[in-house]
Amino acid sequence: MASEIHFAETDESTDDEEKMDDGEEVPLVIDNDEVDIDLTHCRIRKIEHFESLHVVETLCLRNNLIKTIENLHMLTTLRELELYDNQITKIENLDALVNLEILDISFNRITKIENLDNLLNLRKLFLINNKITKIENLGHLENLEMLELGANRIRVIENLEGLKSVTNLFLGKNKISKIQNLESLENLELLSLQSNRITKIEGLEKCTKLEHLYLSHNGVTDIGGLQNNVKLQTLDMTGNKIKSITNVDHLEDLEEFWFNDNKIDSWESLEVLKKFKKLETVYLEKNPVAADPMYRNKIKLLVPWIKQIDATMAQMS
């Protein structure tokens, strides 16, 4: 049975930061038995009139004008909730959604991680591009596998104890100056810390399952601290201040080696590439060595099995 859901206009004025309203909200007809509901870009201002949805599992309210998370307490069957790109300032009113597995409140105006106490089944949490200054109130989420906090205002990696199931941690585009407090993330497979203020690779000793490390656009000058990370397949050090490739001989599983936009000026430093029998891609453009007219040929001689050099397939001249 279908029901007509109206999202009423309000008389609230908008400030300069708010999205411009580009028309009246259109009445939406939704089947009460619908499992997946997508209300992207419908100019919705308020979450309401969902009482009749008793089997819904996925609700997408992406790119609307919503300011408050509310009126969702009856949607206990919900497994995925997407509130990406709205005007939300606070995480709240989610206690009843005990079956929720995926929550996305990215591109909003949230300043604090809070009120997730009952979401014990949460597997993926996306809070990209908000105004969050501190990692907190997450330790109880034992089933969390992916945590995305990129493009916020975080300065310290902290309060991750208890997140033993996390395999993917994204903290890029913050204000982090030190890699630390990752000891409890023993199952971590991917760590992204690009575009921060890191100058030293450290604090990864317990992350022995780490396969992908992204540290591009920081201030790292020397490679180190990877002694226990023998399972690394991707090492991204793009846009740092590295002059020599050292302390990576043991990373025999490397497939992706991204070191473009650094200060590598010695071919002798690149001899280590011979050790990486699984290496498929290497990025070294915008280093002094890349100015050599024989640059590509020398890379091929070092690593005959290479498939891609910079953005071009190795077979191409």
Side-chain angles (χ1 to χ4, degrees), residues 23-261:
E24 293 185 359
E25 297 174 23
V26 180
L28 303 168
V29 178
I30 299 176
D31 192 325
N32 291 341
D33 296 322
E34 191 70 46
V35 174
D36 302 308
I37 296 174
D38 188 343
L39 300 175
T40 298
H41 195 58
C42 292
R43 301 186 295 277
I44 299 169
R45 289 181 177 273
K46 186 175 182 179
I47 302 173
E48 58 185 348
H49 305 310
F50 287 134
E51 293 85 356
S52 58
L53 304 177
H54 300 299
V55 296
V56 61
E57 295 184 2
T58 302
L59 176 59
C60 179
L61 294 167
R62 185 185 183 108
N63 193 5
N64 282 289
L65 300 164
I66 298 166
K67 294 182 179 180
T68 304
I69 303 173
E70 59 187 334
N71 300 321
L72 293 172
H73 58 277
M74 74 295 293
L75 305 184
T76 56
T77 57
L78 207 59
R79 294 183 179 277
E80 180 173 351
L81 175 60
E82 183 171 347
L83 292 163
Y84 181 107
D85 194 11
N86 278 280
Q87 300 171 8
I88 298 165
T89 57
K90 185 176 182 179
I91 303 173
E92 59 186 336
N93 300 320
L94 296 172
D95 289 349
L97 307 185
V98 294
N99 291 307
L100 203 63
E101 297 179 4
I102 301 173
L103 176 60
D104 190 344
I105 322 179
S106 299
F107 287 84
N108 279 278
R109 303 172 187 175
I110 295 166
T111 58
K112 184 177 182 179
I113 303 173
E114 60 184 337
N115 298 322
L116 299 173
D117 303 56
N118 286 9
L119 306 188
L120 300 181
N121 287 308
L122 206 62
R123 294 187 300 106
K124 297 180 180 181
L125 176 60
F126 300 88
L127 292 169
I128 310 164
N129 209 312
N130 277 282
K131 299 179 180 180
I132 297 166
T133 57
K134 186 176 182 178
I135 303 173
E136 58 186 335
N137 301 320
L138 293 171
H140 62 290
L141 300 177
E142 296 182 358
N143 292 308
L144 196 67
E145 299 170 2
M146 177 181 288
L147 177 58
E148 169 62 276
L149 289 169
N152 277 283
R153 301 174 181 177
I154 297 166
R155 293 181 180 272
V156 180
I157 303 174
E158 60 184 337
N159 300 321
L160 297 173
E161 296 81 8
L163 303 183
K164 297 186 182 299
S165 297
V166 167
T167 58
N168 292 261
L169 176 60
F170 297 87
L171 291 168
K173 295 185 179 180
N174 277 284
K175 300 179 179 181
I176 297 166
S177 58
K178 185 175 182 179
I179 306 174
Q180 60 184 337
N181 300 321
L182 297 173
E183 292 81 10
S184 62
L185 306 187
E186 296 180 358
N187 291 304
L188 193 65
E189 297 176 1
L190 184 153
L191 175 61
S192 177
L193 285 164
Q194 80 276 14
S195 300
N196 275 284
R197 301 173 179 177
I198 295 164
T199 57
K200 182 180 180 181
I201 304 175
E202 59 186 333
L204 299 174
E205 294 80 11
K206 297 293 184 179
C207 302
T208 57
K209 295 183 180 180
L210 195 64
E211 296 180 356
H212 308 282
L213 177 60
Y214 300 93
L215 284 170
S216 64
H217 303 292
N218 278 282
V220 179
T221 56
D222 299 293
I223 306 171
L226 299 175
Q227 293 85 349
N228 295 348
N229 310 114
V230 296
K231 293 188 177 182
L232 272 180
Q233 298 174 16
T234 302
L235 180 57
D236 180 9
M237 300 300 305
T238 299
N240 279 278
K241 301 176 181 179
I242 298 167
K243 296 188 68 174
S244 180
I245 299 174
T246 56
N247 301 316
V248 295
D249 305 52
H250 60 295
L251 303 180
E252 298 180 357
D253 283 344
L254 273 182
E255 298 176 5
E256 303 286 329
F257 194 77
W258 304 345
F259 273 73
N260 49 294
D261 294 271

Side-chain angles (χ1 to χ4, degrees), residues 257 270-276 279 282 284 299 303 305:
F257 194 77
L270 295 176
E271 288 287 325
V272 70
L273 297 180
K274 294 179 179 179
K275 296 182 178 292
F276 307 144
L279 193 63
V282 60
L284 288 164
I299 294 292
V303 196
W305 53 88

Side-chain angles (χ1 to χ4, degrees), residues 279-293:
L279 193 63
E280 296 185 358
T281 303
V282 60
Y283 276 87
L284 288 164
E285 61 184 349
K286 296 185 180 179
N287 279 280
V289 292
D292 189 325

